[in-house]
C-alpha cells in the first residue's frame, strides 16, 4: 500500500513539473505579446521579431487558409520585390497579400501594389512602406489562428491565463 502511495506521489510530481514547463512559457509569451501591443499600438505585437497573424479571410487561399496562423518577420522594405507576401496595416486591420509590382507615388516614394492570390483584382490602395509590418516567413499552422482569436477574447484570457495561474497557485 505504501508503495502505491509513493508511485502516485511521484506521478503527481512529474505532472506538476510538466504543467509548469508548459504553462509558464505560455503565460510568459502571452504577457509579453500583450505588453508589446500596449507599448507599440501601431504595430502587430510579436516576440523576438516574429509576429503571429490569424488569417481572417480566404483572399490568399491556397497559399494559406482562413483560420490559419501565419508568421511574419520584420524586413527592410527596400528589399521587398514582386512575389513577396507582405503583411501591412490598412485602417488598423492586418492584411497579408502578395506584391504584384512596385511603383513610385507622386512624392517619388516606393509603394507596393498588392493582390490576394484568390482575388481577381489588385487591391484598390497602394501600400506605403510605413504600413508594412513584415514579410511572410512561409510558416503557418493550420487552424491555429481561430484558436489564437479565441485566446485574445475575454473568455479565452480567463480560461488560458487566469485559470492556469489560479490553479498553479492553489496546486502549489
Amino acid at each position: 500500500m505504501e508503495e502505491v502511495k509513493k508511485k502516485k506521489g511521484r506521478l503527481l510530481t512529474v505532472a506538476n513539473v510538466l504543467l509548469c514547463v508548459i504553462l509558464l512559457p505560455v503565460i510568459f509569451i502571452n504577457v509579453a505579446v500583450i505588453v508589446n501591443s500596449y507599448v507599440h499600438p501601431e504595430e502587430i505585437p510579436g516576440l523576438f521579431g516574429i509576429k503571429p497573424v490569424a488569417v481572417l479571410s480566404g483572399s490568399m487561399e491556397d497559399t494559406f487558409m482562413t483560420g490559419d496562423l501565419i508568421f511574419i518577420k520584420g524586413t527592410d522594405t527596400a528589399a521587398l520585390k514582386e512575389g513577396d507576401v507582405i503583411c501591412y496595416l490598412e485602417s488598423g486591420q492586418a492584411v497579408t497579400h502578395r506584391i504584384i509590382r512596385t511603383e513610385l507615388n507622386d512624392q517619388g516614394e516606393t509603394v507596393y501594389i498588392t493582390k490576394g492570390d484568390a482575388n481577381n483584382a489588385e487591391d484598390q490602395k497602394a501600400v506605403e512602406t510605413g504600413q508594412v509590418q513584415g514579410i511572410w516567413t512561409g510558416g503557418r499552422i493550420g487552424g491555429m489562428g481561430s484558436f489564437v482569436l479565441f485566446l485574445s477574447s475575454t473568455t479565452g484570457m480567463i480560461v488560458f491565463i487566469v485559470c492556469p495561474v489560479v490553479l498553479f497557485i492553489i496546486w502549489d
Side-chain angles (χ1 to χ4, degrees):
M1 191 63 133
E2 190 67 32
E3 185 73 25
V4 172
K5 283 185 179 181
K6 284 183 180 181
K7 280 188 177 183
K8 283 184 180 179
R10 281 189 232 131
L11 283 174
L12 283 174
T13 302
V14 169
N16 285 338
V17 170
L18 284 174
L19 279 173
C20 287
V21 167
I22 293 168
L23 291 178
L24 289 178
V26 168
I27 291 169
F28 169 74
I29 290 168
N30 280 327
V31 169
V33 169
I34 290 167
V35 168
N36 198 359
S37 69
Y38 284 105
V39 173
H40 303 287
E42 70 286 350
E43 293 182 15
I44 297 171
L47 195 61
F48 305 121
I50 303 296
K51 301 174 182 185
V53 177
V55 178
L56 301 176
S57 78
S59 67
M60 286 296 291
E61 291 180 358
D62 295 318
T63 305
F64 38 80
M65 311 301 272
T66 303
D68 285 356
L69 183 69
I70 61 170
F71 300 95
I72 60 168
K73 68 176 184 170
T75 187
D76 177 14
T77 54
L80 294 174
K81 61 190 178 314
E82 184 179 319
D84 288 342
V85 176
I86 60 170
C87 185
Y88 60 94
L89 292 179
E90 179 64 43
S91 302
Q93 288 290 102
V95 178
T96 307
H97 282 171
R98 191 176 305 278
I99 297 173
I100 57 171
R101 68 178 181 280
T102 58
E103 295 179 350
L104 295 178
N105 65 11
D106 296 337
Q107 292 79 31
E109 300 165 333
T110 300
V111 293
Y112 307 99
I113 308 304
T114 57
K115 176 182 166 297
D117 289 353
N119 295 347
N120 293 328
E122 64 188 37
D123 298 335
Q124 291 182 354
K125 290 184 179 180
V127 179
E128 298 176 7
T129 56
Q131 292 175 270
V132 176
Q133 296 293 299
I135 188 169
W136 179 50
T137 63
R140 76 176 185 92
I141 302 174
M144 189 64 148
S146 299
F147 179 69
V148 168
L149 289 174
F150 173 72
L151 280 179
S152 65
S153 71
T154 303
T155 305
M157 286 191 185
I158 290 170
V159 169
F160 285 96
I161 295 177
V162 176
C163 287
V165 169
V166 169
L167 287 172
F168 181 74
I169 290 169
I170 290 171
W171 195 265
D172 256 4

